[in-house]
Amino acid sequence: SGHSLGFAFDEVRRGRQKRMLVVGGEDCNFESIVPFAGMRALSLDKDPARASRPFDKTRNGFVGSGGATCLILESEEEVARRGADPLAEIIGWGQASDGYNVAISHPEGRGLSDAMRRALEDAELQPSEVNYVNAHAPSTPIGDSSELQALKTIFPEPQRVKVSSTKALTGHGLSLSSIMEAGFCCLALKNGFLPGSANVQELDPEVGHLDVILETKESQAEVMMSNSSGFGGANVSVIFRRFPE
């Protein structure tokens, strides 16, 4: 759904469409979850306060979830014509595929770092201008580690970009995740908060200089990035900016 959001953005900014509705959904049922049980990708914890814990040193898998999200993209002219009050402005996106493995991301996060770099170029921003990253971080040992490497590549020291994964509270919605987490970024920009990473008891030392926020903070960001990584090495990064009041 992150790719759908990016392609819809292209349609609007190129003048082909005035308005696009982007919907992502996932039906969390036996058939959708069992394959991941077979892959041993799911959390083994029964305690909901621990099961999904992205960036925790002892994380052991993701928690599946379902639902749906719809975001409406409109041109500036349409927003002005309707007198709408936008949640945020989408300003760039990028995609990349590392093709490393059908089930896991490249250990060095090459595909995701390429997607983030392209999103920044598209938005005409420097990494230092990004205030917060909503990480894909599904709470799997390999997935989180790969993304940490990618983030440290794009945001090297001394940059301490704020990072969190909302999957600690929502679970991993698979096809739903990208559009849902993009929505969280839009709400955060509109309402002046940064969502924290819940359930972390012992932060993974691999986090390094990145500022993983463990509790939601009342803080107004100007620019947010949302990352997603899919099976087969697909990666997408979308950048949003606060819409001026």
Side-chain angles (χ1 to χ4, degrees), residues 51-107:
S52 182
R53 50 185 190 278
F55 302 128
D56 190 285
K57 183 179 179 180
T58 63
R59 64 190 182 273
N60 59 29
F62 75 83
V63 175
S65 64
T69 299
C70 175
L71 290 183
I72 301 172
L73 275 62
E74 289 185 313
S75 66
E76 291 185 27
E77 293 75 17
E78 277 299 286
V79 168
R81 184 187 67 81
R82 295 196 310 111
D85 184 19
L87 293 177
E89 180 183 8
I90 179 171
I91 58 173
W93 78 293
Q95 61 171 321
S97 178
D98 54 57
Y100 175 74
N101 184 283
V102 69
I104 61 176
S105 300
H106 192 284

Side-chain angles (χ1 to χ4, degrees), residues 155-169:
F155 303 98
E157 293 187 278
Q159 296 179 65
R160 283 182 51 78
V161 66
K162 289 179 169 54
V163 179
S164 74
S165 172
T166 47
K167 289 184 177 71
L169 297 177

